[in-house]
Each structure stands twice: as structure tokens, then as C-alpha cells.
Amino acid sequence: MPTATEAPRIYPALRYRNAAKMIDWLCNAFGFEVRARYGEGDVVHHAELSFGSSMIMLGTARDDDYGKMVGEPGAGGGKSIYIAVDDADAAYARAKNAGARIIQELVDRDYGSREFICLDPEGNVWSFGTYWPKAGEKA
């Protein structure tokens, strides 16, 4: 059984039409750092972006077997990533200044989180908030 002190085991994976451009945007808008990037020219076969001890993986949308399972970016629904931050207001300002489309303004939730929701330029939903559950702690 995994332990709460080990490295994360869950890594959201996204496909983008223009992954090369989105890597730069995600780093600028949300504060990710590039851990790894593999590909040829504008095609990103695989990239890993870190955020603290967490990571996402991403690549260019293409018509391979995995791409057929995942589908194209956009309005297909069901795609959302939540990121726990120390300062939701600072994250909001950074995302907005980078051109993220805010779809829910900053709000204080009844469970104590301050958060907002936005879209990246290719339509994925990103939520940022101060609620930060930890695997080794009781809910």
C-alpha cells in the first residue's frame, strides 16, 4: 500500500493542440516549471511540468492510439485539475495577467478555501484554491 510520505503516484496527463506553446503559457500563467520535454520541432511527445512536489504530464494531441482514447482538447467536458496554493489572490492575478479566462471569480467557500476557476487557452478547466488535503491526514 502506498504511503503518504512517498512521491505522488497520480499525474494528470493532458493533450494540447499546440503543446509547445502551452508549456510556456502554463509556466508563465500558473508557475509550473519544466522538468522534462521530449519531441521533435513543434511536436511534444511527452513533457513533465512540476508544481512543488506535484507534476502534470502533457503532449501534443495526435491521432495515435492514446490520442484516440483521450480525445481532443476543448469542450468535451470532464477535464479539470485542482491546484492547492498558499495565496489564491496571487495565483488569480498571475493567471489573469497571462490571459487565463476566468470562469468563476475569487470566492470564499464555507469549508474555508479561497478559490477561483479559469480556462487555459485550449479549454481545460483549472481550479486554484487554498484547500489542501493531505493524504496522510484525516479528512
Side-chain angles (χ1 to χ4, degrees):
M1 183 73 176
T3 67
T5 57
E6 70 184 6
R9 289 178 178 260
I10 299 173
Y11 299 88
L14 302 168
R15 288 283 177 112
Y16 284 104
R17 287 179 200 87
N18 188 339
K21 181 178 177 181
M22 287 304 304
I23 288 170
D24 293 337
W25 191 89
L26 291 165
C27 291
N28 181 47
F30 298 158
F32 280 99
E33 295 182 6
V34 177
R35 182 179 179 279
R37 179 178 172 166
Y38 308 97
E40 301 165 8
D42 287 338
V43 175
V44 177
H45 296 298
H46 176 79
E48 298 170 1
L49 304 184
S50 63
F51 189 91
S53 63
S54 300
M55 278 191 280
I56 61 170
M57 294 188 251
L58 62 95
T60 301
R62 41 193 198 277
D63 194 25
D64 58 9
D65 289 341
Y66 184 69
K68 290 174 186 169
M69 288 184 271
V70 173
E72 290 285 321
K79 299 171 196 130
S80 174
I81 295 175
Y82 177 85
I83 297 186
V85 295
D86 293 324
D87 184 343
D89 293 83
Y92 174 89
R94 182 178 187 153
K96 190 167 185 172
N97 288 339
R101 190 169 127 223
I102 306 299
I103 58 176
Q104 183 178 74
E105 293 290 331
L106 280 163
V107 63
D108 293 316
R109 302 285 184 202
D110 59 0
Y111 49 88
S113 184
R114 181 156 176 79
E115 51 198 46
F116 71 96
I117 302 172
C118 64
L119 295 175
D120 68 29
E122 292 202 18
N124 290 306
V125 177
W126 295 82
S127 300
F128 292 81
T130 56
Y131 175 68
W132 189 356
K134 315 249 183 350
E137 297 176 3
K138 290 189 176 197

